[in-house]
Amino acid sequence: MNQPPLPQLPPRLPDSHKGDFGSALLIGGARGMAGAVAMSGMAALRGGAGLVRLAVPLVCQDVVAAFEPSYMTLGLPADAAGRVSLAGRDLLAEQLEKATAIGCGPGLGRSAELDELIEWLYCEAKSPGVFDADALNALAMRPDALRRPGGPRILTPHPGEFQRLIGAATRLPRDDLERQAVRLAAEAGVVVLLKGHRTLVTDGQQQAHNGTGNPGMATGGAGDILTGLATALLCQRMAPFDAARLAAHIHGLAGDLAAQEQGQVSMIASDLLRWLPAAFQTYGP
């Protein structure tokens, strides 16, 4: 398969300001899972977004804010389990008007109200968006919504999440998953980033396999960093297919650089954050 060239971010002009690099809105987090959305927010910052705001349940807003002073937080109404509740929709609607791109899913948790909220975000938000983790599990409960995206969408499932999205009753081999990913991308008009060894990125017409990354990245939180990174690239006005490809490449390259320094066995997700700057420098023109 002939792959299109790896996309390049344009150079930053001397008179640039933060508004030139977009405003990211990341929606996620729940009591006990604050770190997921925090790492996603830090990855969006390291990925070059000009402004990053994290919309999280009010019960864990202070915890999320304490991870990193460079992003902002918005507290949303929470249910009894500490998850975002449907009552937060009006607050989110206000923030969507300011967002260049959105990322949804890290540490979100599951509930019937969240299923409804995610369907609304997916179908109504006009800004480009990345949907991952429990946001994908919510969409799997409402399969008709997948084909009604309100704006450009990148879906970033691992194989299990993808099988739930397509309603597969039994485990499918990788080749079948990739064929189904191409089909879903074409039918829904979205980009699918199917994680795994040689991650596939497809918009239903173009396809590319990622060549970076290693087994040390098979650790909790690594996908949350990919979500933030892809959201940041969308903020910088990259096309969704290009943003997904470059996010996968930089994410894997950060993992490869971390593995060279400390090996694969001890790698944790926050190591990827520390190596993102070097990955951008290594990749850059």
Side-chain angles (χ1 to χ4, degrees):
M1 180 176 65
N2 293 324
Q3 299 204 145
L6 193 68
Q8 300 279 325
L9 275 171
R12 297 195 166 200
L13 301 176
D15 60 349
S16 297
H17 58 83
K18 60 180 179 287
D20 294 330
F21 307 116
S23 177
L25 175 65
L26 295 164
I27 304 146
R31 183 185 293 126
M33 294 188 288
V37 70
M39 286 196 294
S40 192
M42 287 185 270
L45 289 166
R46 291 296 190 189
L51 288 169
V52 177
R53 178 175 284 105
L54 276 53
V56 302
L58 187 60
V59 294
C60 62
Q61 182 181 7
D62 289 348
V63 175
V64 173
F67 277 101
E68 172 55 55
S70 302
Y71 54 56
M72 296 168 285
T73 60
L74 169 70
L76 299 174
D79 63 17
R83 300 167 299 213
V84 174
S85 75
L86 190 58
R89 187 161 72 178
D90 288 345
L91 284 172
L92 281 175
E94 295 175 9
Q95 296 301 317
L96 289 175
E97 295 180 3
K98 308 172 188 177
T100 311
I102 62 173
C104 188
L108 195 65
R110 298 297 322 284
S111 73
E113 287 196 4
L114 278 170
D115 289 352
E116 184 174 345
L117 185 67
I118 296 307
E119 180 180 12
W120 169 76
L121 278 168
Y122 184 86
C123 296
E124 299 299 328
K126 305 304 181 189
S127 300
V130 182
F131 286 74
D132 183 36
D134 280 327
L136 295 174
N137 291 326
L139 289 170
M141 300 299 294
R142 299 176 179 235
D144 290 343
L146 274 176
R147 289 159 176 79
R148 294 187 286 112
R153 299 288 181 256
I154 300 174
L155 312 183
T156 60
H158 60 55
E161 291 163 343
F162 183 72
Q163 291 192 170
R164 288 190 284 276
L165 276 178
I166 62 173
T170 59
R171 184 174 180 178
L172 299 176
R174 180 74 186 188
D175 287 350
D176 286 349
L177 287 176
E178 293 197 358
R179 282 191 288 271
Q180 292 282 357
V182 174
R183 179 179 176 181
L184 176 62
E187 291 179 351
V190 300
V191 171
V192 176
L193 187 157
L194 181 62
K195 298 172 186 172
H197 177 59
R198 288 182 55 77
T199 287
L200 172 72
V201 180
T202 179
D203 62 1
Q205 303 296 322
Q206 306 174 86
Q207 300 175 48
H209 284 95
N210 184 54
T212 60
N214 63 80
M217 298 171 67
T219 183
D224 303 319
I225 291 169
L226 180 63
T227 297
L229 188 55
T231 304
L233 297 178
L234 288 175
C235 279
Q236 294 166 84
R237 278 74 177 183
M238 292 195 84
F241 180 74
D242 289 343
R245 281 197 69 204
L246 185 55
H249 178 83
I250 294 293
H251 183 254
L253 183 55
D256 290 341
L257 293 170
Q260 290 174 16
E261 179 71 21
Q262 62 196 45
Q264 296 180 9
V265 173
S266 297
M267 192 184 302
I268 59 175
S270 57
D271 294 328
L272 303 180
L273 289 170
R274 288 190 284 272
W275 285 97
L276 280 177
F280 272 106
Q281 287 184 309
T282 301
Y283 141 86

